[in-house]
Amino acid sequence: MSKKIQPPIAKIIPKKLEKFGDVRIDNYYWLNDRENPEVIDYLNKENAYYKKMTAHTKAFQKELFEEMKSRIKEDDESVPYLYNGYYYITRFEKGKNYPIYSRKKESLSAREEILFDCNKLAKGQSYFQLGGLSISPDNKLAVFSTDVVGRRIYDIQIKNLETGKILSDKIEKVSGNAVWANDNKTIFYSSQDEVTLRSDKILKHKLGSTQADDVLVYFEKDETYNVEVAKSKSRKYLAIESGSTLTTEYQILEADNPDGKFRVFQKRIRGLEYSINHYGDSFYIMTNADKATNFKLMKTLETATSKENWTEVISHRDDVLLEDIEIFKDFLVLEERTNGLNKIRIMPWSGEGEYYLPFDSETYTAYTSTNVDFDTDILRYSYQSMTTPSSVIDFNMRTKIKEIKKEQQVLGGKFDKNNYTEERIWATAKDGTKVPISVVYRNGLEKNGKNPLLLYAYGSYGHSMDATFSSTRLSLLDRGFVFAIAHIRGGEDLGRQWYEDGKLLKKKNTFTDFIDCSKFVIEQGYTSSEHLYAEGGSAGGLLMGAIVNMAPELYHGIIAQVPFVDVITTMLDESIPLTTGEYDEWGNPNVKKYYKYMASYSPYDNVKKQKYPNMYVSTGLHDSQVQYWEPAKWVAKLRSEKADDTVLFLDTNMDAGHGGASGRFEAIKELAKEYCFLLDLEKIEK
């Protein structure tokens, strides 16, 4: 890479920030103004620098893009599912970026009705997302929402599926979540605060009226909660869910009675989490009540829903995390996680002959899929591993016969899963905890320390990082890369306690676990620090920011996507989307002990004069989750402090938000940039 091109230097305007007598000087605070032309100019200069510095890889980027795209079946479609008399299908057409939603009445051989062609809806837009799609009970109308910026702010509209016309009803600047009552005339939807984008209101809309006429059904005052509205699988109840990191509360209303009053299912108690499933005359409740850290299953009559009426169905287990349930007429299906692996447990209501679905690998992912019908013996689930493409399987719970409805095709004729090895290894963290790592590589690997290895992790919000298949990843594996996922604390990979041990005042376990996993793959000869790369996005970008401050010598390169790196300033600013709802995850810096702890690891605040690895940092100008200025400030500060000539890129998508570009091929172009960054550092061209 050429070193003659000079990077842009952001101007310094010191801003003094003080809390608890601690003074921080933020030289780049001024970048926090999307409307300032100087800010846009700086971002454009960073983009121009990135383009110049990587101009020699442009052809390779295109080649990688075409290679990854060529493995994808472009004219693909989902496995149809039957709901309320119609088979629903999502499909893609060759060369087109967006899905087409369609349905067929009663039979798969019936005429196709196109509900939404997102390619037409996205025409002329640099970003497009369809959300909140819901069909009326009489099958005649569809409520849908669209976002054309990427800030997760949607406009809701209604389409007459018989005439194809869009009705005059338009609900603007809301969260996109909407459901029908059973009268085919009333819609309930959630709306967010204009500044913080916190979803805080549930409103009711009657067909033919204006948004100004909509009735406020519920306002969530507590700024640490978000609200949404849903309908039960039984279609009998509407439910408003208020949720914070640690606490949930539901309100329910019969869907036949849209003008009735929602009633509280079980009032919120700090620390009490629960979710509800309706069946017959009862609700089934998954909850952490009574110190059930890994959750248990309880049941109550629909006429007596408060906690004192709940009775136990599945008790709490220390070594099994209960993740979800699926209810059928004759079977209860549990999704569990044991020792970091998914398990699907089938339990007949008769109480006889329960069993688990058998899975072979140690690096797989299995989860229930679209199961909208009660009265069936068929469970639809998905299975994949790091070497096995994703399958959708219909499993007869009575006969135990399975039918693979679809296996993801990897085109090009070159892929054979037997050419790759997957394994699970365990690193020992500095406090003695064993941390699992899922690894995949091409057969014939020599553990001589010379292989490039990309280590990925997230490690926040109790979000488990499952070992999944990726056809695009083959472009790295086939060029000699090892790919690994570190299942570090802060996720829920090994149960709820795994999450508890990686948040709040234990957050640093997330970072030290990752560093210890990095040391382990080096010790085991998979790679060396000259060939080790790390990648993480959003809260995983915070992880990247922390590890480069703490152990930069371990890595040759870092990919940080939309990284959350300015922890204290963001968490002190209650006007920023997500902030108040995050206190239970990171802590509230208005409390001294949390402020001090955050200050000790916040990546932006801990940048220092030292050597840093090569880094590729990406962001979106309209990101509502992690504001663009966090990575922009971080890169500006790194430029002024780093004591080496490694490369540092800031690549800002000026049209997109948190999820990056919206079209399926645009996302692959972004991936091609990341892969090019890695392969160029390794001097691998083909």
Side-chain angles (χ1 to χ4, degrees):
M1 290 181 178
S2 166
K3 296 292 185 303
K4 291 173 189 159
I5 303 161
Q6 289 304 309
I9 302 297
K11 71 177 180 183
I12 289 174
I13 305 175
K15 181 171 177 70
K16 183 177 166 185
L17 301 166
E18 188 173 351
K19 188 87 179 170
F20 300 119
D22 178 45
V23 176
R24 294 179 301 134
I25 304 295
D26 188 344
N27 288 329
Y28 306 104
Y29 190 89
W30 65 275
L31 285 168
N32 166 343
D33 180 5
R34 200 182 275 104
E35 306 303 317
N36 180 348
E38 285 188 74
V39 170
I40 299 301
D41 182 55
Y42 170 69
L43 296 176
N44 283 330
K45 280 179 177 159
E46 282 285 2
N47 280 352
Y49 171 70
Y50 164 66
K51 283 187 178 128
K52 278 184 195 159
M53 287 288 283
T54 56
H56 64 289
T57 70
K58 202 81 183 134
F60 187 32
Q61 266 184 51
K62 191 171 187 323
E63 184 186 319
L64 271 175
F65 168 74
E66 294 298 342
E67 176 183 299
M68 291 191 279
K69 185 181 167 193
S70 73
R71 294 194 199 103
I72 295 169
K73 189 174 182 338
E74 288 194 47
D75 52 344
D76 202 7
E77 68 173 48
S78 64
V79 180
Y81 67 88
L82 181 64
Y83 180 73
N84 202 17
Y86 283 83
Y87 283 95
Y88 286 87
I89 303 155
T90 306
R91 62 180 177 82
F92 285 93
E93 289 182 352
K94 204 169 172 59
K96 292 186 178 175
N97 242 326
Y98 293 97
I100 295 164
Y101 293 91
S102 68
R103 68 178 184 178
K104 294 178 178 182
K105 190 171 185 178
E106 289 167 3
S107 160
L108 287 171
S109 56
R111 182 182 63 83
E112 179 188 55
E113 288 178 45
I114 290 181
L115 306 174
F116 298 99
D117 182 343
C118 294
N119 300 288
K120 289 180 178 169
L121 292 171
K123 214 174 173 104
Q125 306 289 352
S126 54
Y127 179 92
F128 177 81
Q129 192 69 45
L130 183 78
L133 181 55
S134 177
I135 309 293
S136 62
D138 63 6
N139 290 313
K140 294 178 179 177
L141 301 167
V143 60
F144 68 103
S145 59
T146 52
D147 171 15
V148 293
V149 177
R151 269 184 80 69
R152 303 188 186 182
I153 300 172
Y154 290 84
D155 290 349
I156 291 176
Q157 290 177 281
I158 297 156
K159 182 176 182 178
N160 183 320
L161 299 177
E162 294 180 318
T163 65
K165 296 274 191 296
I166 304 289
L167 306 189
S168 60
D169 306 58
K170 190 166 190 184
I171 303 164
E172 295 182 319
K173 296 187 175 171
V174 291
S175 63
N177 157 238
V179 295
W180 290 93
N182 288 347
D183 64 352
N184 303 297
K185 288 185 237 167
T186 311
I187 295 158
F188 289 86
Y189 65 92
S190 57
S191 173
Q192 72 267 70
D193 181 279
E194 282 183 22
V195 178
T196 67
L197 302 189
R198 177 175 77 89
S199 183
D200 61 358
K201 291 180 277 294
I202 302 295
L203 293 105
K204 178 168 64 177
H205 176 85
K206 296 281 187 185
L207 277 192
S209 63
T210 67
Q211 186 171 356
D213 298 326
D214 291 353
V215 176
L216 179 66
V217 173
Y218 178 68
F219 173 65
E220 177 53 69
K221 299 191 292 288
D222 190 324
E223 291 183 343
T224 65
Y225 283 74
N226 281 282
V227 291
E228 63 180 6
V229 62
K231 196 174 196 176
S232 65
K233 181 174 165 177
S234 66
R235 308 178 206 172
K236 182 174 179 180
Y237 285 98
L238 300 165
I240 295 172
E241 181 191 358
S242 293
S244 74
T245 309
L246 292 175
T247 311
T248 38
E249 178 181 79
Y250 282 86
Q251 298 172 60
I252 56 171
L253 175 67
E254 286 75 9
D256 285 341
N257 181 26
D259 295 327
K261 191 169 165 31
F262 279 84
R263 58 192 181 276
V264 173
F265 187 93
Q266 159 58 44
K267 69 175 173 33
R268 66 190 67 179
I269 299 169
R270 183 165 168 78
L272 175 68
E273 295 175 66
Y274 69 92
S275 59
I276 57 175
N277 283 267
H278 178 254
Y279 180 57
D281 62 359
S282 299
F283 280 96
Y284 287 80
I285 306 132
M286 229 172 66
T287 180
N288 67 348
D290 316 311
K291 301 192 174 136
T293 316
N294 278 334
F295 289 79
K296 60 181 175 178
L297 187 63
M298 303 187 82
K299 177 183 179 181
T300 194
L301 287 172
E302 58 187 0
T303 51
T305 59
S306 56
K307 186 168 167 286
E308 64 270 16
N309 300 295
W310 300 357
T311 57
E312 205 163 89
V313 179
I314 305 284
S315 56
H316 175 257
R317 293 152 292 169
D318 288 335
D319 57 345
V320 180
L321 175 68
L322 180 60
E323 291 197 312
D324 209 351
I325 67 165
E326 200 65 76
I327 295 175
F328 297 89
K329 184 178 166 211
D330 295 328
F331 298 91
L332 171 66
V333 177
L334 305 183
E335 288 190 80
E336 302 176 346
R337 188 182 288 270
T338 310
N339 204 24
L341 296 174
N342 307 112
K343 299 276 178 22
I344 296 178
R345 182 180 176 189
I346 315 286
M347 301 178 68
W349 288 118
S350 66
E352 290 170 24
E354 70 165 78
Y355 58 95
Y356 284 90
L357 293 186
F359 301 124
D360 306 327
S361 162
E362 268 225 315
T363 53
Y364 71 86
T365 303
Y367 51 89
T368 63
S369 178
T370 309
N371 293 285
V372 293
D373 198 0
F374 279 115
D375 196 3
T376 177
D377 292 339
I378 304 295
L379 169 73
R380 180 166 289 179
Y381 73 94
S382 289
Y383 176 88
Q384 59 186 302
S385 79
M386 291 178 95
T387 61
T388 310
S390 172
S391 300
V392 176
I393 297 159
D394 275 2
F395 178 79
N396 188 309
M397 294 179 279
R398 205 172 293 285
T399 64
K400 300 186 185 175
I401 292 168
K402 72 175 186 181
E403 182 189 354
I404 297 176
K405 302 297 286 185
K406 179 183 179 182
E407 184 169 32
Q408 176 190 349
Q409 284 181 268
V410 182
L411 302 185
K414 294 176 185 171
F415 172 71
D416 177 352
K417 70 179 187 181
N418 298 311
N419 291 336
Y420 304 89
T421 299
E422 57 185 340
E423 56 190 17
R424 192 158 69 141
I425 56 178
W426 296 78
T428 304
K430 66 178 193 174
D431 63 0
T433 302
K434 297 281 189 202
V435 181
I437 308 170
S438 299
V439 186
V440 62
Y441 51 84
R442 208 174 160 90
N443 295 350
L445 181 92
E446 282 184 57
K447 293 180 186 171
N448 57 12
K450 294 180 180 172
N451 311 296
L453 186 150
L454 178 59
L455 186 63
Y456 178 83
Y458 186 71
S460 288
Y461 302 108
H463 185 70
S464 299
M465 270 297 140
D466 289 318
T468 54
F469 180 80
S470 162
S471 69
T472 50
R473 190 192 297 146
L474 297 171
S475 291
L476 286 184
L477 300 182
D478 290 348
R479 288 175 174 83
F481 260 79
V482 179
F483 178 80
I485 301 168
H487 303 282
I488 53 183
R489 282 175 282 186
E492 224 165 45
D493 307 63
L494 293 182
R496 182 63 176 217
Q497 197 57 46
W498 202 247
Y499 169 41
E500 300 293 338
D501 288 342
K503 64 189 274 203
L504 298 172
L505 299 173
K506 293 181 180 174
K507 187 67 213 165
K508 286 187 197 171
N509 283 338
T510 303
F511 317 139
T512 53
D513 280 2
F514 190 88
I515 289 166
D516 290 330
C517 288
S518 302
K519 289 175 178 171
F520 185 72
V521 293
I522 291 170
E523 282 161 18
Q524 296 298 304
Y526 287 94
T527 190
S528 60
S529 56
E530 292 79 25
H531 300 286
L532 177 58
Y533 302 89
E535 176 189 6
S538 195
L542 162 72
L543 169 67
M544 294 300 105
I547 63 162
V548 292
N549 287 335
M550 293 163 76
E553 71 287 349
L554 287 176
Y555 309 96
H556 190 221
I558 299 282
I559 295 172
Q561 303 142 326
V562 293
F564 170 46
V565 283
D566 189 12
V567 184
I568 300 176
T569 308
T570 291
M571 292 303 295
L572 283 170
D573 186 348
E574 294 178 10
S575 72
I576 293 177
L578 298 188
T579 290
T580 53
E582 304 275 297
Y583 289 157
D584 290 330
E585 179 73 25
W586 313 105
N588 181 348
N590 294 297
V591 177
K592 191 172 186 179
K593 68 177 177 179
Y594 291 115
Y595 176 90
K596 287 183 76 166
Y597 190 74
M598 284 179 186
S600 71
Y601 71 73
S602 170
Y604 182 62
D605 293 291
N606 286 282
V607 169
K608 47 188 174 281
K609 289 211 181 303
Q610 66 176 19
K611 291 186 173 179
Y612 280 92
N614 298 287
M615 294 170 71
Y616 172 81
V617 182
S618 60
T619 187
L621 182 64
H622 300 291
D623 196 329
S624 62
Q625 313 294 104
V626 177
Q627 307 294 328
Y628 75 88
W629 60 77
E630 291 200 37
K633 286 164 53 171
W634 183 45
V635 167
K637 190 170 181 181
L638 281 165
R639 285 215 192 286
S640 69
E641 296 289 324
K642 68 197 215 55
D644 51 47
D645 58 359
T646 54
V647 298
L648 173 59
F649 299 139
L650 175 65
D651 183 14
T652 305
N653 185 326
M654 303 303 272
D655 297 316
H658 195 63
S662 57
R664 60 176 173 157
F665 301 131
E666 292 309 308
I668 298 173
K669 282 180 187 163
E670 294 186 357
L671 197 56
K673 288 180 181 180
E674 294 174 1
Y675 283 6
C676 242
F677 169 75
L678 299 171
L679 294 163
D680 192 39
L681 288 170
E682 279 293 313
K683 305 289 184 278
I684 299 172
E685 277 291 320
K686 294 291 173 197

Tab-separated table of all heavy atoms in Angstrom, residues 200-216:
chain	number	residue	atom	x	y	z
A	200	ASP	N	-42.158	4.626	21.873
A	200	ASP	CA	-42.763	4.942	23.179
A	200	ASP	C	-44.284	5.022	23.177
A	200	ASP	O	-44.896	5.213	24.218
A	200	ASP	CB	-42.179	6.257	23.722
A	200	ASP	CG	-42.441	7.454	22.820
A	200	ASP	OD1	-43.049	7.272	21.735
A	200	ASP	OD2	-42.046	8.580	23.179
A	201	LYS	N	-44.925	4.852	21.986
A	201	LYS	CA	-46.384	5.011	21.923
A	201	LYS	C	-47.011	3.877	21.113
A	201	LYS	O	-46.421	3.418	20.132
A	201	LYS	CB	-46.733	6.349	21.242
A	201	LYS	CG	-46.390	7.584	22.056
A	201	LYS	CD	-46.751	8.869	21.337
A	201	LYS	CE	-45.710	9.342	20.336
A	201	LYS	NZ	-44.435	9.738	20.934
A	202	ILE	N	-48.207	3.478	21.518
A	202	ILE	CA	-49.037	2.590	20.694
A	202	ILE	C	-50.290	3.381	20.334
A	202	ILE	O	-50.953	3.946	21.212
A	202	ILE	CB	-49.439	1.304	21.441
A	202	ILE	CG1	-48.207	0.531	21.909
A	202	ILE	CG2	-50.333	0.422	20.557
A	202	ILE	CD1	-47.322	-0.030	20.819
A	203	LEU	N	-50.586	3.441	19.023
A	203	LEU	CA	-51.762	4.181	18.557
A	203	LEU	C	-52.696	3.261	17.788
A	203	LEU	O	-52.295	2.199	17.320
A	203	LEU	CB	-51.339	5.356	17.671
A	203	LEU	CG	-50.564	6.455	18.406
A	203	LEU	CD1	-49.097	6.398	18.073
A	203	LEU	CD2	-51.124	7.834	18.055
A	204	LYS	N	-53.935	3.729	17.657
A	204	LYS	CA	-54.972	2.967	16.963
A	204	LYS	C	-55.455	3.783	15.774
A	204	LYS	O	-55.776	4.965	15.916
A	204	LYS	CB	-56.114	2.675	17.939
A	204	LYS	CG	-57.277	1.921	17.329
A	204	LYS	CD	-58.237	1.398	18.410
A	204	LYS	CE	-58.897	2.517	19.194
A	204	LYS	NZ	-59.867	1.994	20.182
A	205	HIS	N	-55.497	3.132	14.603
A	205	HIS	CA	-55.915	3.813	13.378
A	205	HIS	C	-57.114	3.077	12.782
A	205	HIS	O	-57.106	1.852	12.652
A	205	HIS	CB	-54.752	3.810	12.374
A	205	HIS	CG	-55.111	4.408	11.047
A	205	HIS	ND1	-55.062	5.760	10.801
A	205	HIS	CD2	-55.524	3.833	9.884
A	205	HIS	CE1	-55.421	5.987	9.543
A	205	HIS	NE2	-55.711	4.840	8.974
A	206	LYS	N	-58.155	3.837	12.411
A	206	LYS	CA	-59.329	3.260	11.743
A	206	LYS	C	-59.228	3.536	10.238
A	206	LYS	O	-58.886	4.664	9.835
A	206	LYS	CB	-60.622	3.892	12.276
A	206	LYS	CG	-60.885	3.619	13.758
A	206	LYS	CD	-61.440	2.230	13.986
A	206	LYS	CE	-61.847	2.044	15.443
A	206	LYS	NZ	-62.274	0.654	15.711
A	207	LEU	N	-59.514	2.541	9.436
A	207	LEU	CA	-59.447	2.700	7.976
A	207	LEU	C	-60.254	3.913	7.519
A	207	LEU	O	-61.371	4.134	7.994
A	207	LEU	CB	-60.030	1.465	7.274
A	207	LEU	CG	-59.117	0.255	7.095
A	207	LEU	CD1	-59.749	-0.736	6.124
A	207	LEU	CD2	-57.750	0.645	6.597
A	208	GLY	N	-59.640	4.675	6.611
A	208	GLY	CA	-60.342	5.827	6.047
A	208	GLY	C	-60.153	7.109	6.827
A	208	GLY	O	-60.579	8.173	6.383
A	209	SER	N	-59.520	7.024	7.991
A	209	SER	CA	-59.296	8.249	8.781
A	209	SER	C	-57.881	8.780	8.513
A	209	SER	O	-57.097	8.160	7.804
A	209	SER	CB	-59.485	7.963	10.273
A	209	SER	OG	-58.534	7.020	10.714
A	210	THR	N	-57.567	9.927	9.101
A	210	THR	CA	-56.233	10.503	8.926
A	210	THR	C	-55.374	10.191	10.151
A	210	THR	O	-55.881	9.797	11.204
A	210	THR	CB	-56.299	12.034	8.764
A	210	THR	OG1	-56.747	12.593	10.013
A	210	THR	CG2	-57.256	12.440	7.655
A	211	GLN	N	-54.071	10.416	9.999
A	211	GLN	CA	-53.158	10.166	11.120
A	211	GLN	C	-53.506	11.055	12.314
A	211	GLN	O	-53.375	10.641	13.469
A	211	GLN	CB	-51.708	10.407	10.665
A	211	GLN	CG	-50.669	10.030	11.714
A	211	GLN	CD	-49.246	10.078	11.162
A	211	GLN	OE1	-49.025	10.318	9.985
A	211	GLN	NE2	-48.276	9.849	12.038
A	212	ALA	N	-53.981	12.254	12.021
A	212	ALA	CA	-54.350	13.191	13.104
A	212	ALA	C	-55.507	12.649	13.945
A	212	ALA	O	-55.659	13.015	15.120
A	212	ALA	CB	-54.720	14.542	12.508
A	213	ASP	N	-56.311	11.762	13.348
A	213	ASP	CA	-57.455	11.189	14.078
A	213	ASP	C	-57.070	9.979	14.934
A	213	ASP	O	-57.903	9.467	15.695
A	213	ASP	CB	-58.548	10.722	13.083
A	213	ASP	CG	-59.105	11.880	12.271
A	213	ASP	OD1	-59.190	12.983	12.831
A	213	ASP	OD2	-59.418	11.676	11.083
A	214	ASP	N	-55.857	9.493	14.773
A	214	ASP	CA	-55.466	8.258	15.464
A	214	ASP	C	-55.485	8.443	16.974
A	214	ASP	O	-55.140	9.505	17.502
A	214	ASP	CB	-54.077	7.799	15.000
A	214	ASP	CG	-54.103	7.304	13.558
A	214	ASP	OD1	-55.210	7.210	12.995
A	214	ASP	OD2	-53.030	7.025	13.002
A	215	VAL	N	-55.889	7.387	17.659
A	215	VAL	CA	-56.082	7.435	19.116
A	215	VAL	C	-54.847	6.872	19.818
A	215	VAL	O	-54.383	5.777	19.482
A	215	VAL	CB	-57.328	6.608	19.517
A	215	VAL	CG1	-57.490	6.560	21.032
A	215	VAL	CG2	-58.576	7.176	18.850
A	216	LEU	N	-54.339	7.634	20.790
A	216	LEU	CA	-53.227	7.142	21.600
A	216	LEU	C	-53.765	6.087	22.565
A	216	LEU	O	-54.618	6.368	23.402
A	216	LEU	CB	-52.574	8.292	22.383
A	216	LEU	CG	-51.405	7.895	23.287
A	216	LEU	CD1	-50.212	7.401	22.470
A	216	LEU	CD2	-50.979	9.075	24.168
